[in-house]
């Protein structure tokens, strides 16, 4: 149980285009989902926290107009990288948690984004 | 604010031997959770072990055990009988309900298990 999927696993796009990454909790309802960014050989950096039905909370320094997050249902959150540029190339990881166990996060397998 | 420090960027160990990864943290909270996550080359984050701060007994999960020293704010991970599949990045993480309900990660330790 507690499986989180991400789609796509890998995406290559041209500079200036937008890319949408989906994060789904497959066998549980996730009241909160998190989006992380990870550069090579570095730790996970929290970008934003999204709660179902409300606006996402972004970490300091993360552009909310560039990284659009939607958490429309208890099993789906999406991250859209708008007008992507090469510097947005990175590994993006989502995680999800159940409301009753705030300390436990279940991680998706990640999405590798390459912007040409 | 909570901080988590992993002082060993890289480590290596021979197969079947034991290795200990270090983690220290800084917090003013008394109730919190500590975790070790493994990130193998596939990049999937895998929970290795967790420790509740109110529990004095060190957590163990098969070949993985921790040495939790609350007063010293230290949380090391011991891997016994290391296997090639243990090769991965290991992240120490901290959670408290009083800090936005978010995980705070350390910088990671890259562990290489050599045959």
């Amino acid at each position: 149980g507690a499986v989180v999927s991400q789609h796509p696993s890998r995406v290559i796009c041209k500079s200036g285009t937008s890319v949408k990454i989906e994060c789904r909790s497959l066998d549980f309802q996730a009241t909160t989902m998190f989006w992380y960014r990870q550069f090579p050989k570095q730790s996970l950096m929290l970008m934003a926290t999204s709660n179902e039905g409300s606006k996402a909370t972004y970490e300091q320094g993360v552009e909310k107009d560039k990284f659009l997050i939607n958490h429309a249902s208890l099993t789906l959150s999406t991250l859209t990288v708008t007008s992507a540029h090469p510097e947005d190339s990175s590994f993006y990881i989502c995680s999800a948690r159940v409301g009753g166990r705030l300390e436990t996060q279940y991680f998706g397998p990640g999405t590798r984004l390459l912007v040409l | 604010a909570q901080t988590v420090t992993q002082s060993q960027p890289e480590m290596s160990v021979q197969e079947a031997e034991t290795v200990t990864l270090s983690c220290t943290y800084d917090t003013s909270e008394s109730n919190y959770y500590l975790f070790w996550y493994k990130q193998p080359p596939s990049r999937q984050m895998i929970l290795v072990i967790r420790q509740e701060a109110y529990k004095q007994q060190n957590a163990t999960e098969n070949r993985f055990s921790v040495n939790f020293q609350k007063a010293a704010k230290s949380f090391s991970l011991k891997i016994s009988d290391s296997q090639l599949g243990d090769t991965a990045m290991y992240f120490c993480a901290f959670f408290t309900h009083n800090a936005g309900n978010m995980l705070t990660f350390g910088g990671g330790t890259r562990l290489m298990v050599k045959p």
Side-chain angles (χ1 to χ4, degrees):
Chain A
V3 177
V4 176
S5 70
Q6 277 184 247
H7 179 79
S9 59
R10 179 176 297 191
V11 58
I12 301 174
C13 69
K14 292 182 179 180
S15 184
T17 62
S18 294
V19 175
K20 180 184 285 188
I21 302 170
E22 292 185 349
C23 176
R24 293 182 184 271
S25 56
L26 298 184
D27 50 3
F28 66 100
Q29 293 186 325
T31 53
T32 304
M33 288 185 172
F34 301 88
W35 287 96
Y36 296 87
R37 184 173 181 176
Q38 186 180 30
F39 291 105
K41 298 186 178 181
Q42 294 189 23
S43 188
L44 281 69
M45 180 188 77
L46 180 65
M47 299 175 66
T49 303
S50 73
N51 292 296
E52 186 265 338
S54 62
K55 290 184 178 180
T57 302
Y58 291 81
E59 295 301 301
Q60 192 172 7
V62 178
E63 299 175 59
K64 60 181 65 177
D65 293 331
K66 177 154 191 70
F67 299 99
L68 300 180
I69 292 172
N70 183 278
H71 192 164
S73 77
L74 286 172
T75 59
L76 173 65
S77 176
T78 60
L79 167 67
T80 301
V81 184
T82 62
S83 186
H85 288 96
E87 56 266 30
D88 299 324
S89 298
S90 191
F91 193 69
Y92 294 88
I93 303 174
C94 76
S95 70
R97 74 175 178 208
V98 179
R101 298 190 64 186
L102 298 180
E103 76 281 1
T104 301
Q105 291 186 25
Y106 303 98
F107 287 85
T111 296
R112 182 177 300 282
L113 170 63
L114 178 60
V115 184
L116 301 176
Chain B
Q2 280 63 227
T3 59
V4 179
T5 302
Q6 294 178 246
S7 60
Q8 306 149 315
E10 294 186 1
M11 294 191 72
S12 64
V13 63
Q14 291 295 131
E15 195 176 6
E17 294 188 346
T18 296
V19 64
T20 299
L21 280 58
S22 300
C23 172
T24 58
Y25 57 94
D26 188 25
T27 184
S28 58
E29 301 292 329
S30 58
N31 295 319
Y32 49 87
Y33 298 80
L34 293 161
F35 306 86
W36 278 99
Y37 284 92
K38 170 185 177 180
Q39 188 180 41
S42 67
R43 307 292 292 270
Q44 171 74 59
M45 293 287 284
I46 301 167
L47 177 63
V48 175
I49 200 165
R50 60 179 271 169
Q51 175 84 41
E52 290 89 342
Y54 66 88
K55 291 186 177 180
Q56 293 184 340
Q57 186 173 9
N58 289 324
T60 63
E61 286 289 343
N62 300 313
R63 298 183 295 109
F64 299 88
S65 62
V66 298
N67 183 3
F68 174 47
Q69 301 290 326
K70 191 172 183 179
K73 296 180 182 175
S74 171
F75 183 63
S76 61
L77 174 69
K78 185 172 81 172
I79 305 174
S80 304
D81 186 27
S82 297
Q83 300 176 359
L84 296 178
D86 296 332
T87 292
M89 280 288 289
Y90 286 82
F91 294 100
C92 179
F94 174 98
F95 175 91
T96 176
H97 290 286
N98 298 326
N101 291 319
M102 301 180 299
L103 281 172
T104 301
F105 286 94
T109 296
R110 182 173 300 276
L111 176 67
M112 174 72 73
V113 180
K114 299 179 179 179

